[in-house]
Amino acid sequence: YMTQEDSLNIISYLTLKLSSSIAFGVAENELVLTFPNGGQSFLSNETIEVLWETFGESSEEVDLYYSVGQGQDSLRYKNKYCTLSSDAWVEIASGIENTGVYSLDLSTIGAQDSIRIKIISGTTCDINGHFFNILNSSRINNYKQQKTKFSLKSKNWRLKYL
């Protein structure tokens, strides 16, 4: 029986123990493309860095490919797609040192919609998450160079855009 003037102090310690049989094991062999991962738009005169991460026992070399449009094996990752079963994939470079980065000159691909990138190392591969686009840089540059000129005048204010 307790009243409003009584007090009760409860001091408790909680100990959690995490146990896993796989937490300290060797990671499975895996390649993960991290950039570009889709949704981006680049200019055809740009050079971008294709980025990836390697887990497990990695190969010393990787191969990079791109595909335009929705080829049969460009829509999702599956182990069977680690081989190039269709002509939809165009080689970017092969025998690249597996450093996690490759500089890709987009002028070698040109202006395209719906591009995917695939990375392969032995029997391990990945395809970037979604499509990206390469825009024609000459069209963009011409558009940027055209300036709209107008002027607005009033008794009390003046707006000028060049």
Side-chain angles (χ1 to χ4, degrees):
Y1 166 69
M2 292 185 74
T3 67
Q4 289 180 338
E5 295 171 11
D6 293 333
S7 67
L8 175 65
N9 287 333
I10 298 176
I11 299 174
S12 176
Y13 297 95
L14 181 61
T15 302
L16 298 174
K17 182 177 180 182
L18 178 62
S19 176
S20 173
S21 61
I22 61 169
F24 302 105
V26 177
E28 289 187 31
N29 295 345
E30 188 175 2
L31 286 170
V32 179
L33 275 166
T34 57
F35 186 83
N37 204 26
Q40 300 95 347
S41 292
F42 303 103
L43 297 178
S44 60
N45 63 351
E46 287 184 277
T47 298
I48 63 167
E49 289 188 336
V50 177
L51 304 174
W52 68 90
E53 292 187 36
T54 306
F55 301 97
E57 295 178 17
S58 64
S59 173
E60 304 259 334
E61 296 179 342
V62 296
D63 303 326
L64 284 173
Y65 299 86
Y66 76 91
S67 178
V68 177
Q70 298 185 7
Q72 67 178 15
D73 64 347
S74 69
L75 296 179
R76 61 187 174 275
Y77 165 81
K78 287 188 178 179
N79 281 337
K80 69 179 185 178
Y81 298 144
C82 286
T83 59
L84 298 171
S85 57
S86 70
D87 294 332
W89 293 98
V90 178
E91 182 179 289
I92 295 171
S94 63
I96 303 166
E97 189 177 345
N98 191 358
T99 60
V101 63
Y102 177 80
S103 292
L104 174 59
D105 178 6
L106 296 179
S107 67
T108 60
I109 298 174
Q112 299 284 347
D113 287 331
S114 304
I115 300 169
R116 302 290 298 265
I117 291 182
K118 179 189 281 193
I119 186 169
I120 300 176
S121 177
T123 59
T124 306
C125 72
D126 192 27
I127 299 172
N128 64 328
H130 198 60
F131 299 104
F132 66 93
N133 300 315
I134 301 175
L135 306 173
N136 187 331
S137 59
S138 62
R139 286 186 175 175
I140 300 297
N141 288 339
N142 287 339
Y143 176 76
K144 286 181 179 177
Q145 290 174 1
Q146 296 174 358
K147 291 186 177 179
T148 304
K149 297 180 181 180
F150 68 89
S151 180
L152 223 64
K153 294 181 182 177
S154 173
K155 204 190 256 186
N156 299 326
W157 53 272
R158 180 179 172 188
L159 174 65
K160 189 174 185 179
Y161 176 77
L162 300 176

